[in-house]
Amino acid sequence: MRVLVSGGAGYIGSHTVLALVAAGHDVVVVDDFSNSKPTVVGRLESLSGRHIPVHAFDLTDADKTERLFDHEQIDAVIHFAGFKAVGESVAKPLQYYRNNLDSTFALVDAMNRHGVTKFVFSSSATVYGEKAPVPYQEDYEFLSSSSPYGQTKVMVERVLSDVAHITEGWKVALLRYFNPVGAHASGQIGEDPQGIPNNLMPFLAQVAVGKRDKLVVFGDDYPTVDGTCERDYLHVEDLAAGHVAALDHLDAMTEPVRAFNLGTGTGTSVLQMLHAFERAVGRELPFEVGPRRAGDLAAFWADPTRAQSELGWRATRTIDDMCVDTWRWQSANPQGFPDA
Ligand code: UFG
């Protein structure tokens, strides 16, 4: 298939571009580079051995989105592009709703006008809200999220579901990611957050490389194995493979829409992750325990049974693999991707 990857220069998008090409698909990228660097593209081309066509614009521009579909032959869309910082979304809710919804509307409109009916959406475990039983299962009904960011995922899932149910031929896979970490085995692409990282793994990586003084562990009084929060971390290369599996499965889907958890099914605490990262780096890393972070849940992980049985996909890489690969990327690229 010729697959349009929105946000294909971003962290998960870039790894998925490589997985798609390796699986024999053609790729077209659209990315406005608002949270990624154009130098990613050269690395994708050298790693894949292929020219990757890139369209640099913001998908909320419906005219440009329409013209993209006029000019490129597209068989399927994988939609990653979107704002994703939980805390920022609380401060700027309208920007989050506008960006994440309008980009989806423009894509769906253009797809409908051009007869494209296959859609894979980058969703999140955050749609399970605060009350779903752990492990999370896809058929949980009461989707909600405490942040505007998370709420955009709930809303886009709903929009796509409604569209797919009334539009002949539509097939949508909603991929609910747990906590993606790690980097490509080459060490040439990985997560490159702008400013102070919000998430645990890139923060740890920056402590290890000397860009940050120490990790602050957000609370150690949760009812968990060691008092710190537990999450279901999965390797970004496993996650990328999950997108290829979902794309290849769309035709076989009996329903127009299906949600799939992409996780390992196992929780790992913040301190366990810190110690795994210390093993990867080969030395102890400075940390202190601080207060809880607002909005954090104590512990959650996936029930990945559906993805295993229906997509034939399972996460195979370990926590140590995730740390070793993150460290290879971060130590080789201490400043992230170059500007030019
Ligand atoms: N943590 C720290 N110190 C840090 C950063 C994180 O202790 O400097 C802890 C957090 O408190 C949490 C754990 O590490 O317990 C993981 O935090 P992340 O920010 O890495 O991940 P979250 O589980 O909070 O966030 C993820 C995704 C979001 C998604 C959210 C939904 O990154 O996109 O899950 O639950 F919305």
Side-chain angles (χ1 to χ4, degrees):
M1 279 184 264
R2 194 148 198 268
V3 186
L4 177 66
V5 182
S6 82
Y11 172 45
I12 304 170
S14 60
H15 289 82
T16 301
V17 165
L18 292 179
L20 287 165
V21 172
H25 294 291
D26 281 335
V27 171
V28 179
V29 166
V30 56
D31 200 303
D32 69 356
F33 298 106
S34 60
N35 193 26
S36 60
K37 300 242 180 82
T39 50
V40 174
V41 178
R43 294 195 180 186
L44 292 178
E45 292 189 326
S46 72
L47 287 167
S48 68
R50 293 268 284 276
H51 169 62
I52 312 271
V54 177
H55 297 262
F57 70 87
D58 177 345
L59 283 168
T60 64
D61 185 327
D63 292 337
K64 286 186 179 160
T65 303
E66 176 68 18
R67 284 205 293 280
L68 168 67
F69 279 76
D70 286 341
H71 289 112
E72 295 278 10
Q73 185 246 320
I74 290 163
D75 302 311
V77 173
I78 304 184
H79 183 30
F80 294 100
F83 294 162
K84 63 169 188 179
V86 174
E88 183 184 57
S89 79
V90 175
K92 302 175 180 170
L94 197 59
Q95 284 185 28
Y96 270 67
Y97 287 115
R98 181 175 288 135
N99 185 69
N100 292 3
L101 290 165
D102 278 354
S103 57
T104 308
F105 298 154
L107 268 177
V108 170
D109 270 339
M111 287 172 67
N112 273 333
R113 279 195 284 263
H114 292 81
V116 183
T117 56
K118 293 182 203 301
F119 200 111
V120 175
F121 179 56
S122 169
S123 190
S124 165
T126 193
V127 302
Y128 291 107
E130 296 180 355
K131 297 197 179 117
V134 175
Y136 292 163
Q137 292 183 317
E138 291 90 345
D139 51 14
Y140 181 72
E141 283 179 71
F142 308 105
L143 301 183
S144 71
S145 183
S146 52
S147 73
Y149 154 74
Q151 204 57 35
T152 69
K153 296 294 183 192
V154 175
M155 293 163 84
V156 170
E157 283 203 6
R158 181 60 197 260
V159 167
L160 294 173
S161 175
D162 289 350
V163 169
H165 276 101
I166 55 103
T167 316
E168 180 67 31
W170 265 66
K171 291 287 175 63
V172 178
L174 307 170
L175 304 185
R176 297 178 179 159
Y177 315 154
F178 284 70
N179 287 61
V181 298
H184 192 258
S186 66
Q188 290 193 47
I189 59 169
E191 190 167 10
D192 181 20
Q194 312 296 302
I196 301 171
N198 297 307
N199 299 111
L200 176 63
M201 195 66 149
F203 200 99
L204 263 176
Q206 291 195 3
V207 171
V209 86
K211 267 177 95 173
R212 312 271 160 213
D213 288 346
K214 57 175 179 283
L215 175 72
V216 178
V217 175
F218 297 145
D220 68 350
D221 57 351
Y222 288 96
T224 60
V225 60
D226 57 20
T228 66
C229 295
E230 292 171 41
R231 293 290 182 272
D232 185 343
Y233 298 95
L234 82 157
H235 196 292
V236 66
E237 287 206 75
D238 282 331
L239 181 58
H243 290 74
V244 178
L247 184 75
D248 290 344
H249 175 70
L250 288 175
D251 276 338
M253 264 170 43
T254 51
E255 306 276 319
V257 187
R258 195 89 171 135
F260 297 96
N261 286 339
L262 297 184
T264 66
T266 311
T268 300
S269 77
V270 176
L271 288 178
Q272 288 169 339
M273 204 60 170
L274 166 69
H275 296 319
F277 209 85
E278 290 175 333
R279 286 195 293 279
V281 176
R283 61 188 148 84
E284 290 189 0
L285 297 173
F287 78 97
E288 68 179 30
V289 176
R292 290 182 175 197
R293 182 172 69 178
D296 274 343
L297 299 179
F300 62 85
W301 51 88
D303 177 346
T305 313
R306 183 183 286 182
Q308 287 169 12
S309 62
E310 296 182 21
L311 303 181
W313 172 89
R314 127 189 348 253
T316 60
R317 292 161 177 90
T318 64
I319 290 288
D320 285 304
D321 295 334
M322 300 173 207
C323 293
V324 165
D325 288 341
T326 300
W327 181 234
R328 186 183 298 112
W329 150 253
Q330 186 71 56
S331 49
N333 303 271
Q335 306 304 327
F337 292 105
D339 286 324

